[in-house]
């Protein structure tokens, strides 16, 4: 299985390239179709407003997916072993979401990474942790 | 706080139980759904869409994005709509541990839900033609806890994903038999908080002040009056007609001479609207607004107290002068009680 990183090329403190994505209502519709999650809070504005939300909002699993995209770009799809997130805040259409991924520990051939997704104001949307396999040096 | 039952015992009995029978994904891992997914995510990694690129990267062929794990077993909109229709017809399928757990939470007053965590493990990338099965169970249910959102319980469900080659799926094999032959390819733990709405520990954000009226020579007496606890209504000193809102000239005789009377604030509800949209944070919603015929003989538009459903055209009303802040007081109309 291809491993993008090796024990020789990665060090604690390294950061993955930042991935930035401006969330649109169209993204929410596409994600609903792709994931099969048709909760109306994510695509039906009148229902979301009736539920006292300012507008439709992003699926938590879409936030996780965006971070997952940046993670797998960095470590390689087959290298990702675990990926855990806490959904800290809702995401809103129009927000510019940016990933922040830092290597925090290396134990043998496994790297631990801290992951975050923030909006343009720095608000944390999801925070979590992942582990990835590293190739031999 | 309302009295809710404590279902700790019944909930504890559900921990470890399977949420329902093992389910088979409707479709094998396929390029069409992968493309929808990566486009929604803005993921341009070619290993998800281009066979040659995937092989060049060291994979046997196109692989599916790791976080797409659960999407393969989602049953989609039709299933949800069928379930809703069955519920509406009173034929709700019941009995699986997950719906029992949700019903117990609801009975405890925990009717609001929010997803809090998702943990996934991946044992190998999914490839085209993998057919997934999922075995779901309730892994844990917490004791009641006071959280920022409200008084609630956390519940974690565990999903174990097995894969078999699509051509291994035949009518002769049950999902359980298929899962036994399959390889465990991933797990997902999904944690939710079910909580009582309105019991959050976090104080709501301070409301911004109400919008300021534009004070002019003509209307200053009115806003000074409300700040003094009076409902002042402009009166033409030539013909005696009352008018509101304040204006420089009398609509009846065109006189520019006026003073004011202090209204008793009693009258009848002539008409009303409910402001749903746009919502301004300074106000509480739903926001009923009434047109009131004052007993003294003119009309006034003002907020109505309570909920829109409390009001019927023709209701007798009385004004309360509400002081919103140091600079602003306005009449809000209530139902007139009989004591006066």
């Amino acid at each position: 299985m291809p491993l993008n990183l090796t024990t020789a090329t990665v060090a604690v403190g390294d950061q993955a390239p930042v991935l930035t994505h401006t969330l649109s209502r169209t993204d929410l519709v596409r994600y609903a179709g792709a994931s099969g999650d048709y909760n109306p809070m994510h695509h039906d504005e009148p229902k979301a407003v009736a539920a006292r939300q300012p507008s439709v909002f992003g699926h938590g699993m879409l936030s996780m997916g965006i971070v997952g995209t940046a993670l797998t770009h960095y470590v390689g799809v087959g290298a990702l072993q675990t990926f855990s997130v806490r959904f800290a805040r809702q995401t809103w259409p129009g927000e510019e979401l940016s990933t922040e991924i830092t290597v925090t520990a290396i134990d043998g051939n496994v790297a631990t990474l801290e992951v975050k997704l923030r909006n343009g104001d720095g608000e944390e949307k999801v925070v979590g942790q992942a582990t990835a396999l590293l190739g031999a040096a | 706080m309302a009295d809710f039952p404590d279902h700790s015992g019944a909930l504890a009995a559900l921990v470890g139980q399977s949420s329902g029978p093992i389910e088979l994904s409707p479709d094998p891992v396929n390029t069409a759904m992968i493309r929808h997914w990566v486009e929604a995510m803005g993921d341009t990694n070619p290993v998800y869409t281009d066979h040659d690129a995937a092989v060049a990267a060291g994979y046997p062929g196109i692989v599916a994005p790791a976080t797409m794990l659960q999407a393969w077993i989602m049953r989609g909109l039709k299933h949800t709509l069928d379930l809703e229709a069955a519920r509406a017809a009173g034929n709700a399928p019941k009995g699986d541990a997950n719906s029992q757990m949700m019903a117990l939470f609801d009975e405890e007053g925990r009717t609001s839900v929010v997803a809090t965590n998702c943990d996934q493990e991946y044992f190998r990338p999914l490839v085209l033609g993998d057919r997934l099965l999922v075995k779901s169970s309730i892994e844990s249910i917490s004791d009641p806890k006071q959280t920022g959102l409200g008084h609630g319980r956390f519940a974690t469900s565990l999903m174990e994903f097995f894969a078999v080659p699509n051509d291994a799926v035949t009518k002769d094999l049950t999902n359980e038999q298929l899962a036994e032959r399959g390889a465990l390819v991933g797990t997902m733990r999904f944690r939710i908080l079910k909580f009582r709405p309105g019991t959050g520990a976090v104080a709501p954000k301070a409301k911004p002040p109400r919008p300021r009226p534009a004070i002019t020579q003509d209307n200053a007496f009115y806003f000074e009056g409300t700040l003094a606890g009076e409902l002042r209504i402009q009166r033409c000193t030539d013909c005696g007609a009352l008018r509101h809102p304040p204006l420089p000239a009398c609509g009846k005789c065109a006189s520019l001479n006026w003073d004011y009377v202090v209204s008793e604030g009693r009258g009848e509800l002539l008409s009303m609207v409910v402001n749903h949209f746009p919502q301004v944070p300074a106000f509480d919603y739903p926001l009923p607004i009434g047109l009131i015929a004052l007993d003294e003989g003119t009309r006034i538009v003002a907020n109505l107290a309570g909920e829109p459903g409390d009001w019927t055209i023709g209701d007798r009303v009385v004004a309360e002068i509400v002081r919103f802040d140091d600079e602003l007081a306005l009449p809000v109309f209530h139902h007139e009680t009989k004591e006066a």
Side-chain angles (χ1 to χ4, degrees):
Chain A
M1 210 53 69
L3 307 173
N4 289 6
L5 306 175
T6 71
T7 49
T9 59
V10 71
V12 169
D14 281 1
Q15 296 206 313
V18 173
L19 187 150
T20 296
H21 185 86
T22 301
L23 198 66
S24 71
R25 283 174 170 76
T26 305
D27 290 333
L28 304 190
V29 173
R30 291 201 292 194
Y31 183 78
S35 69
D37 182 349
Y38 288 98
N39 183 329
M41 292 300 108
H42 303 306
H43 63 263
D44 188 329
E45 191 97 4
K47 281 192 182 165
V49 170
R52 301 195 166 205
Q53 299 293 332
S55 73
V56 292
F57 55 93
H59 307 70
M61 295 299 282
L62 171 55
S63 296
M64 185 177 186
I66 292 169
V67 179
T69 296
L71 257 178
T72 50
H73 271 301
Y74 185 51
V75 303
V77 186
L80 190 62
Q81 290 201 301
T82 67
F83 180 21
S84 301
V85 299
R86 179 169 63 82
F87 304 113
R89 285 182 186 81
Q90 287 158 295
T91 57
W92 305 99
E95 283 191 315
E96 188 184 78
L97 303 171
S98 298
T99 60
E100 186 180 305
I101 298 171
T102 310
V103 178
T104 54
I106 296 170
D107 183 7
N109 66 337
V110 176
T112 301
L113 305 101
E114 300 254 326
V115 306
K116 281 180 181 158
L117 186 70
R118 298 181 192 267
N119 70 2
D121 295 332
E123 275 184 2
E124 292 175 353
K125 300 298 187 175
V126 302
V127 291
Q129 191 172 290
T131 55
L133 283 179
L134 304 174
Chain B
M1 189 182 286
D3 244 354
F4 291 110
D6 181 334
H7 286 315
S8 295
L11 288 166
L14 294 175
V15 174
Q17 290 201 24
S18 69
S19 312
I22 292 179
E23 287 176 45
L24 179 65
S25 66
D27 300 295
V29 172
N30 64 84
T31 48
M33 289 314 291
I34 292 174
R35 184 161 50 246
H36 285 301
W37 177 278
V38 295
E39 285 185 3
M41 216 68 58
D43 193 335
T44 54
N45 193 334
V47 300
Y48 301 132
T49 50
D50 181 335
H51 175 83
D52 294 341
V55 170
Y59 298 101
I62 286 177
V63 291
T67 51
M68 205 177 163
L69 189 59
Q70 186 203 16
W72 299 111
I73 58 92
M74 294 289 277
R75 284 169 300 177
L77 188 57
K78 181 176 185 300
H79 177 82
T80 309
L81 296 178
D82 289 350
L83 214 59
E84 279 174 10
R87 251 184 227 126
N91 304 323
K94 51 178 282 186
D96 75 70
N98 195 59
S99 27
Q100 284 177 39
M101 175 181 78
M102 291 303 210
L104 290 168
F105 286 155
D106 287 347
E107 283 177 29
E108 287 189 328
R110 308 182 206 287
T111 51
S112 291
V113 65
V114 63
T116 64
N117 298 78
C118 178
D119 302 347
Q120 297 185 333
E121 294 175 288
Y122 316 106
F123 303 126
R124 73 156 167 85
L126 299 183
V127 296
L128 296 183
D130 272 336
R131 192 78 181 266
L132 262 64
L133 295 120
V134 66
K135 187 174 163 185
S136 307
S137 57
I138 296 172
E139 189 172 66
S140 65
I141 300 172
S142 80
D143 290 334
K145 286 183 165 63
Q146 181 64 50
T147 71
L149 285 172
H151 198 261
R153 289 183 192 267
F154 291 95
T156 306
S157 56
L158 168 64
M159 280 164 260
E160 293 166 285
F161 297 89
F162 300 87
V164 294
N166 190 41
D167 55 18
V169 178
T170 71
K171 290 195 166 60
D172 304 332
L173 293 175
T174 63
N175 290 349
E176 284 69 17
Q177 288 168 328
L178 275 173
E180 272 172 35
R181 292 169 194 214
L184 184 66
V185 290
T187 68
M188 169 162 151
R189 285 176 174 81
F190 199 72
R191 194 170 184 227
I192 59 166
L193 172 68
K194 280 281 276 179
F195 63 98
R196 291 178 189 150
T199 60
V202 179
K205 270 189 192 166
K207 253 200 237 173
R210 287 214 171 200
R212 308 286 96 175
I215 308 282
T216 65
Q217 286 183 347
D218 296 315
N219 68 17
F221 77 94
Y222 176 78
F223 293 105
E224 285 162 9
T226 51
L227 280 171
E230 291 180 357
L231 181 59
R232 296 175 182 170
I233 300 294
Q234 208 176 14
R235 175 172 63 182
C236 173
T237 47
D238 285 308
C239 77
L242 299 181
R243 60 180 190 260
H244 186 87
L247 288 168
C250 176
K252 289 239 166 73
C253 71
S255 165
L256 297 173
N257 301 317
W258 58 270
D259 64 359
Y260 63 81
V261 296
V262 176
S263 166
E264 291 290 312
R266 290 177 192 274
E268 184 184 318
L269 181 61
L270 277 186
S271 183
M272 66 178 289
V273 294
V274 182
N275 179 187
H276 295 284
F277 191 84
Q279 298 203 346
V280 176
F283 294 89
D284 292 318
Y285 293 88
L287 177 58
I289 298 162
L291 173 66
I292 289 112
L294 292 171
D295 291 347
E296 290 87 357
T298 189
R299 296 176 178 182
I300 184 170
V301 173
N303 288 164
L304 296 174
E307 299 287 322
D310 300 342
W311 294 99
T312 307
I313 304 303
D315 284 351
R316 287 289 302 166
V317 297
V318 60
E320 175 199 5
I321 306 292
V322 175
R323 191 161 188 136
F324 292 100
D325 53 54
D326 287 347
E327 297 171 349
L328 185 66
L330 291 170
V332 173
F333 282 84
H334 295 259
H335 282 101
E336 186 177 61
T337 47
K338 303 289 177 221
E339 97 285 5

